[in-house]
């Protein structure tokens, strides 16, 4: 479908093997495949040239405290990896295996319990919020569930501008301009700034979430 209309209809095999419409061809060409047309294509060589390490985990342990005398739950048990500038790093595992816990710890949203996690050179074990706060603007975070990660009472424009308002304090005109650019960079009309989160489709909300994550030009994305 495109803008409310059915563009092409065919049995699945035919559609994937011989798409007839330009739009269908473009859609299928946009599907990433491991190794080619992938997000990391062209980036891996750059990552090797400039090995600035952004994230380094060493025997990382993350526990969630137990409730009412129950023991703590170890969600991450001695995990080690490094992530360099320009690199695309995929963490794969079944649900509940600890991926989100690690991602949130990198952004300073979860505390770590043991081992070491260095983010932009800063040790996250025994994180001190005051020391870490200046680094928050260098990290863009795309939350898993775009329906739950936007404040339903703020317009999309205000949601996207929120990190800027906290960290760089732009004038209202500057913020509006930047929000428009960010929306266009994720291929949403800039007029969507005035809509509320529930007025977007799930995929459009996830695009808006990408725009918010990019709003402060996080490190490694330039
Ligand atoms: N806030 C929490 N308190 C207690 N346990 C949690 C919490 N968040 C996640 N867990 C548990 O930690 C484990 C890892 O969760 P998570 O990192 O979200 O997994 P996933 O790999 O699916 O992203 C799961 O067993 C989950 O139930
Ligand atoms: Mg998860």
């Amino acid at each position: 479908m495109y803008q409310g209309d059915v563009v092409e209809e065919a049995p699945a095999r035919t559609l994937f093997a011989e798409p007839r419409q330009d739009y269908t061809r473009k859609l299928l060409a946009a599907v990433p495949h491991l190794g080619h047309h992938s997000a990391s294509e062209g980036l891996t060589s750059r990552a090797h040239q400039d090995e600035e390490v952004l994230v380094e985990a060493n025997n990382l342990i993350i526990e969630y405290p137990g409730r009412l005398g129950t023991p703590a739950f170890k969600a991450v048990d001695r995990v080690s990896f490094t992530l360099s500038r320009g690199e695309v790093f995929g963490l794969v595992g079944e649900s509940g295996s600890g991926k989100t816990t690690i991602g949130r710890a990198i952004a300073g949203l979860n505390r770590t319990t043991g081992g070491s996690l260095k983010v932009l050179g800063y040790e996250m074990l025994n994180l001190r919020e005051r020391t870490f706060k200046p680094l928050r603007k260098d990290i863009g975070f795309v939350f898993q569930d775009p329906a739950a990660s936007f404040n339903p009472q703020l317009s999309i424009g205000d949601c996207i501008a929120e990190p800027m308002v906290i960290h760089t304090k732009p004038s209202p005109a500057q913020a509006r301009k930047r929000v428009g650019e960010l929306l266009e960079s994720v291929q949403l009309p800039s007029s969507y700034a005035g809509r509320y989160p529930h007025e977007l489709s799930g995929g459009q909300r996830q695009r808006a979430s990408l725009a918010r994550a990019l709003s402060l030009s996080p490190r490694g994305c330039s």
Side-chain angles (χ1 to χ4, degrees):
M1 281 188 79
Y2 181 65
Q3 297 195 336
D5 281 328
V6 173
V7 173
E8 186 169 350
E9 204 171 341
R13 276 180 198 284
T14 321
L15 187 93
F16 281 91
E18 289 166 54
R20 286 169 173 272
Q21 300 297 324
D22 274 353
Y23 180 70
T24 319
R25 285 198 204 105
K26 254 172 60 191
L27 263 188
L28 292 175
V31 176
H33 295 281
L34 271 181
H36 63 115
H37 295 311
S38 72
S40 57
E41 194 180 34
L43 286 175
T44 33
S45 52
R46 209 177 86 201
H48 286 299
Q49 282 162 18
D50 122 31
E51 292 235 338
E52 185 195 349
V53 172
L54 300 180
V55 178
E56 187 172 6
N58 236 312
N59 290 315
L60 174 64
I61 299 174
I62 304 176
E63 289 177 348
Y64 289 107
R67 217 172 284 157
L68 295 174
T70 54
F73 176 75
K74 199 178 271 179
V76 175
D77 190 4
R78 284 166 296 158
V79 170
S80 304
F81 63 88
T82 59
L83 169 52
S84 301
R85 183 190 175 87
E87 192 179 6
V88 174
F89 184 86
L91 191 55
V92 184
E94 68 175 81
S95 68
S97 58
K99 307 177 299 290
T100 295
T101 302
I102 291 177
R104 293 178 59 91
I106 292 171
L109 302 172
N110 272 357
R111 292 193 160 270
T112 65
T113 315
S116 163
L117 176 66
K118 281 206 185 109
V119 178
L120 306 174
Y122 182 80
E123 176 57 61
M124 303 297 282
L125 187 68
N126 304 321
L127 161 85
R128 286 230 300 285
E129 181 54 36
R130 203 155 20 116
T131 330
F132 186 64
K133 192 175 174 208
L135 293 178
R136 284 191 186 275
K137 67 175 187 336
D138 293 328
I139 300 173
F141 201 95
V142 180
F143 291 89
Q144 189 159 2
D145 177 0
S149 62
F150 281 116
N151 182 338
Q153 294 180 322
L154 294 184
S155 68
I156 288 292
D158 287 342
C159 289
I160 293 174
E162 202 176 20
M164 294 187 267
V165 170
I166 291 168
H167 289 283
T168 61
K169 303 186 171 52
S171 70
Q174 283 169 328
R176 249 194 318 276
K177 179 163 173 281
R178 178 83 179 122
V179 165
E181 291 165 1
L182 285 161
L183 282 170
E184 277 165 23
S185 76
V186 296
Q187 292 176 31
L188 288 176
S190 52
S191 63
Y192 276 33
R195 292 201 185 188
Y196 284 86
H198 75 273
E199 295 174 314
L200 266 59
S201 77
Q204 288 174 332
R205 263 198 303 265
Q206 197 56 297
R207 284 175 188 245
S209 195
L210 288 167
R212 178 177 57 186
L214 292 171
S215 63
L216 293 170
S217 310
R219 206 114 53 101
C221 278
S222 44

